[in-house]
Amino acid sequence: MTLSLAFNGAFFAWPYQAGVAAYAQEHGMLGDQSRIYGTSSGAVVAVMLATGVDIAKVGMPAGLEANARAKGDRVLPFFAPTGVIPTYFEIFGRALPADAHERATNRLFIAVTQVPRFRRRLISTFPTREALLDALAASIAIPGVTVPLARRTAAHGWCLDGGPEVPDDDRSGVQTVRVGVGPRVPMLKPDHITPSKTIGLAQRFLIAPERERRELFSLGYADAARYWTRPTEKTA
């Protein structure tokens, strides 16, 4: 059976999902036919995994640096939005391989919300590396946090954050493993891999100290190992 992964929205608790993705990457869980879905900060993790970035050694440190640089000396992560995405991709963008868009096309599905109609769509075709980054920027476009109001993309117009969750891979013979960080609104489908320890509101909605964020990564890795080494839960 083919395995696909779906990374739901996680705000600033995305290091947990990065831990899950690192386990999947290191243990060769995904095949050539696997798909990877992501929305909001979960899309950041999905991009890393789909493009072959070494998540533990490259992607995770780049993401932490990007968050910290964008936040600066502010106590709360409600940045001066105009500079957040350029700062983020100056750091995170250089972690991606030159052919990232080719690796991602038809394998990676990024959720965005097009405005003004608030139409949700999945983007899976990336003609250039810049188009890939543009789609990711749209998926993390949170008004007042990463953008003033919305993100204008070259291919998809004005977009907002991709929403709290992504759909399953509906192809026959495919199992989708959903990864989340706990309750969300709305929650249409349950997650398969979710924190075995409580993640507090501060860890979700604030940029916690690096030590705590690395602990989230380790927790995600351990929970993934626990899930994939329990045969009865693989088809849960």
Side-chain angles (χ1 to χ4, degrees):
M1 177 175 286
T2 297
L3 172 68
S4 290
L5 289 178
F7 295 95
N8 293 307
F11 277 93
F12 296 108
W14 64 264
Y16 175 83
Q17 295 179 314
V20 175
Y23 181 91
Q25 184 179 65
E26 292 176 14
H27 290 79
M29 305 299 299
L30 301 179
D32 292 340
Q33 299 302 311
S34 297
R35 290 178 178 175
I36 303 161
Y37 296 76
T39 182
S40 197
S41 62
V44 177
V45 176
V47 168
M48 295 181 197
L49 188 56
T51 60
V53 172
D54 186 321
I55 295 173
K57 296 179 180 177
V58 178
M60 175 69 175
L64 293 180
E65 181 186 353
N67 278 169
R69 183 89 64 84
K71 178 173 180 260
D73 59 0
R74 297 172 182 83
V75 175
L76 298 175
F78 298 96
F79 324 117
T82 54
V84 172
I85 288 178
T87 299
Y88 196 87
F89 288 122
E90 175 189 349
I91 298 166
F92 181 76
R94 67 176 179 244
L96 301 181
D99 64 346
H101 58 293
E102 296 173 355
R103 299 187 188 198
T105 290
N106 297 326
R107 178 175 176 81
L108 171 68
F109 292 74
I110 296 178
V112 302
T113 303
Q114 292 178 303
V115 291
R117 295 186 179 182
F118 293 96
R119 173 178 171 241
R120 293 199 66 218
R121 64 170 298 173
L122 294 172
I123 302 172
S124 60
T125 301
F126 312 98
T128 65
R129 193 170 179 278
E130 289 69 28
L132 172 60
L133 289 173
D134 206 23
L136 179 55
S139 192
I140 62 172
I142 303 174
V145 180
T146 58
V147 294
L149 292 174
R151 169 80 177 186
R152 184 176 179 85
T153 66
H156 311 289
W158 289 97
C159 296
L160 290 174
D161 182 270
E165 66 179 39
V166 286
D168 289 344
D169 186 336
D170 61 1
R171 293 174 298 167
S172 176
V174 178
Q175 176 202 2
T176 303
V177 171
R178 304 176 65 80
V179 185
V181 296
R184 56 184 176 270
V185 179
M187 188 169 184
L188 303 178
K189 294 186 177 183
D191 296 321
H192 298 93
I193 302 177
T194 195
S196 56
K197 298 179 181 178
T198 301
I199 292 181
L201 291 177
Q203 290 175 303
R204 294 177 192 235
F205 300 115
L206 302 178
I207 297 181
E210 183 173 334
R211 175 185 57 79
E212 292 184 24
R213 307 194 86 200
R214 290 191 177 278
E215 288 174 355
L216 283 180
F217 178 89
S218 297
L219 178 62
Y221 192 97
D223 285 346
R226 195 173 296 115
Y227 177 80
W228 273 305
T229 52
R230 292 180 181 179
T232 57
E233 294 201 10
K234 289 182 183 179
T235 56

